Amino acid sequence: MRGIGRWGSIDSRDGDNGYDYNSGLLSGGYDRVIKGHFLPGVSLGYSGTF
């Protein structure tokens, strides 16, 4: 399982509006060796901004 997040802000300047941002990612996976040489696996992930 792994999670990553980013956040920050941009100040307004020269008449342009500033903004804040947040984003995140969560992912995980599983695999297993079968019969010594076959390695099937699955993974799932989710990302979003808010």
Side-chain angles (χ1 to χ4, degrees):
M1 187 67 74
R2 170 169 254 177
I4 299 171
R6 297 268 188 214
W7 56 91
S9 64
I10 302 294
D11 294 332
S12 60
R13 68 183 214 203
D14 297 331
D16 294 331
N17 293 330
Y19 59 90
D20 295 328
Y21 64 90
N22 297 294
S23 64
L25 165 73
L26 181 63
S27 66
Y30 176 79
D31 54 21
R32 183 174 184 142
V33 175
I34 297 176
K35 296 186 180 180
H37 65 278
F38 184 58
L39 182 65
V42 296
S43 66
L44 297 170
Y46 174 80
S47 66
T49 58
F50 41 93

